[in-house]
Amino acid sequence: MGKIKVASVWCEGCSGCHMSFLDMDERLVELINKGLEINATPITDLKIPDEGTDIGIIEGAVATDHHEEEVKMMRERCKIIVALGDCAVFGGIPTMRNYIPREELLERGYITTESTVDGKIPTSPEIGKHLPKTKAVNEVIKVDLYVPGCPPSADAIYYVLKEVLEGRIPKLEGELLKYE
């Protein structure tokens, strides 16, 4: 079996899904020994997946123009896209901001908070601009596999990666869909 390249991105969320990924502990080494190759993730601080990456894992909701560009690049470069965690699958907690007009949200966050003095809404092009609405990943690109949970368990992530490594389509059910 050849190498199976995996890349991941972290959009709007808490990074709990990547923490669960790391919670696979020694099973991550087992997957690497079976052919898993991690080529671009927040864990490696490499942000651009190779062309032809086999599995693209997306954590978090799509909240900014930068997130939108990242998930579209993942779709272009990855054969299988996995939406990891409730924020990626459903939009999750970040979609709560959809009930507040964007300008009001930015003003509250950067100007009128009680601890802010001479606040200013940042305008650097290095910072992503909020989209009018925060979205689940499948509202932006086609998603092939969904791994819900907040965060999904390390067992669920391990199962999905192992199944794909062995050429099967994972079917999450039972205990793998339980999380705290």
Side-chain angles (χ1 to χ4, degrees):
M1 173 187 296
K3 294 281 186 188
I4 302 290
K5 291 183 179 180
V6 175
S8 68
V9 294
W10 170 21
C11 295
E12 188 86 0
C14 68
S15 84
C17 299
H18 274 89
M19 295 300 107
S20 278
F21 184 91
L22 292 174
D23 281 345
M24 287 191 291
D25 298 323
E26 67 276 356
R27 292 179 295 177
L28 185 55
V29 175
E30 173 195 325
L31 293 173
I32 290 169
N33 287 336
K34 287 184 174 181
L36 188 83
E37 178 183 309
I38 300 170
N39 74 25
T41 75
I43 299 164
T44 61
D45 202 26
L46 299 172
K47 298 185 175 35
I48 309 293
D50 294 343
E51 293 280 352
T53 294
D54 297 289
I55 304 170
I57 298 172
I58 300 173
E59 172 189 355
V62 180
T64 70
D65 56 347
H66 288 186
H67 295 151
E68 201 167 57
E69 290 169 14
E70 284 180 308
V71 300
K72 287 179 179 176
M73 178 180 59
M74 290 289 278
R75 181 71 269 179
E76 289 171 11
R77 292 177 174 242
C78 302
K79 298 172 188 164
I80 297 171
I81 293 292
V82 178
L84 183 65
D86 285 354
C87 296
V89 172
F90 307 112
I93 290 173
T95 60
M96 290 176 67
R97 80 128 164 119
N98 293 343
Y99 298 101
I100 303 168
R102 183 175 37 182
E103 292 70 25
E104 183 180 327
L105 179 80
L106 292 171
E107 184 173 316
R108 178 67 182 139
Y110 290 104
I111 297 174
T112 63
T113 55
E114 288 71 13
S115 60
T116 300
V117 176
D118 299 327
K120 176 179 156 188
I121 296 172
T123 58
S124 169
E126 298 291 320
I127 300 172
K129 304 287 182 267
H130 281 250
L131 298 172
K133 175 186 167 207
T134 298
K135 307 170 192 172
V137 173
N138 70 358
E139 293 179 75
V140 179
I141 62 169
K142 177 183 177 284
V143 171
D144 303 297
L145 298 170
Y146 296 88
V147 184
C150 185
S153 70
D155 293 342
I157 298 168
Y158 170 76
Y159 170 77
V160 167
L161 291 174
K162 184 171 180 267
E163 288 293 292
V164 173
L165 269 171
E166 294 176 357
R168 294 185 290 266
I169 303 295
K171 183 177 178 187
L172 287 170
E173 55 191 6
E175 292 293 318
L176 294 175
L177 288 175
K178 292 184 178 177
Y179 50 92
E180 297 177 18

